[in-house]
Amino acid sequence: MYKLYSMQRSGNSYKVRLALALLNAPYRAIEIDILRGESRTPDFLAMNPSGQVPLLEVESGRYLAESNAILWYVAGGTSLAPDTRIERAEALQWMFFEQHALEPNIGAAYFWLSLVKGGRTLQTHALEDWMERGYAALQVMENHLKIHDYFAAKQLTVADIALYGYTHVADRCDYDLATFPAVRAWLRRIEQTYGFVGMDWRPDAGAHAPAGVGAEV
């Protein structure tokens, strides 16, 4: 069974929990509060020197960091990972886009405005750039979703999960999605997927979401 070190309110951590829920994959969740320095302890840094969550223990003593790398790993061999070479590359293309265009802007705004007390004051100088670049990323997504239901392989894949993680909390950090109807429709499609769980959902010991789209039966 996997061990997942994550923070409940982290969008990057949520991506992994959502994928595991959709796959009905058993795992043990271990809460790490980065705001209290729990990812900077000697024990945690021995597992992940970058001091970040999420972190997945895939087997005893072997760890995988970076949310999108973890998504790619857990989705292997399921419908969340495209079959063909070009579709896999397209999924990765959007996952790279998420990390360089979406997460550094909407993700940063969410962290400082929603999670850090006094964060708006501390990051006043950065807000304008986050808004401008975040809206630009949302427009790229909107243009794609005007003619596609999903981001790769004409179905739900890890690319959608990667992008969903912070897009669905954009309205909690000053972004207005009113002018992005295709993005809003895509968010609803994700949320209507069998096995979907929200960011606040917590797995109990031995209890997991229903078998979802990528589960093997």
Side-chain angles (χ1 to χ4, degrees), residues 109-110 113-114 120 168-175 199-200:
Y110 169 71
L113 302 187
S114 296
R120 183 180 295 274
H168 91 286
V169 293
D171 60 351
R172 302 185 196 178
C173 49
D174 292 6
Y175 292 91
M199 181 181 274
D200 293 335

Side-chain angles (χ1 to χ4, degrees), residues 35-75:
L35 299 176
R36 296 187 178 190
E38 293 177 1
S39 66
R40 308 303 301 182
T41 65
D43 285 348
F44 190 86
L45 290 172
M47 297 185 292
N48 183 12
S50 71
Q52 296 176 333
V53 291
L55 180 70
L56 188 71
E57 185 173 16
V58 298
E59 57 187 60
S60 181
R62 188 163 191 176
Y63 301 95
L64 188 60
E66 299 296 334
S67 59
N68 287 353
I70 298 171
L71 287 181
W72 197 253
Y73 175 81
V74 301

Side-chain angles (χ1 to χ4, degrees), residues 190-205:
I190 303 295
E191 291 155 7
Q192 292 166 359
T193 302
Y194 185 61
F196 173 86
V197 296
M199 181 181 274
D200 293 335
W201 178 83
R202 296 173 183 267
D204 353 70

Side-chain angles (χ1 to χ4, degrees), residues 149 180-190 192:
D149 286 342
F180 301 99
V183 169
R184 288 187 282 113
W186 166 77
L187 290 173
R188 290 193 296 272
R189 277 194 292 278
I190 303 295
Q192 292 166 359

Side-chain angles (χ1 to χ4, degrees), residues 84-185:
T84 69
R85 183 179 180 184
I86 183 60
E87 288 172 342
R88 287 194 296 271
E90 288 171 347
L92 286 169
Q93 165 189 291
W94 284 107
M95 294 171 83
F96 296 150
F97 169 84
E98 186 270 339
Q99 284 292 284
H100 74 70
L102 196 74
E103 195 272 349
N105 298 298
I106 297 179
Y110 169 71
F111 179 81
W112 286 102
L113 302 187
S114 296
L115 302 186
V116 178
K117 186 176 181 179
R120 183 180 295 274
T121 300
L122 291 170
Q123 294 295 330
T124 300
H125 64 286
L127 284 176
E128 185 176 346
D129 282 346
W130 287 342
M131 290 297 114
E132 180 181 354
R133 294 170 185 169
Y135 275 124
L138 288 168
Q139 189 60 58
V140 171
M141 294 170 63
E142 177 75 11
N143 293 342
H144 178 85
L145 290 167
K146 285 177 181 178
I147 54 175
H148 300 90
D149 286 342
Y150 298 101
F151 281 94
K154 299 181 181 179
Q155 65 183 50
L156 178 69
T157 70
V158 284
D160 298 282
I161 296 172
L163 288 159
Y164 180 85
Y166 282 110
T167 304
H168 91 286
V169 293
D171 60 351
R172 302 185 196 178
C173 49
D174 292 6
Y175 292 91
D176 183 358
L177 297 184
T179 58
F180 301 99
V183 169
R184 288 187 282 113

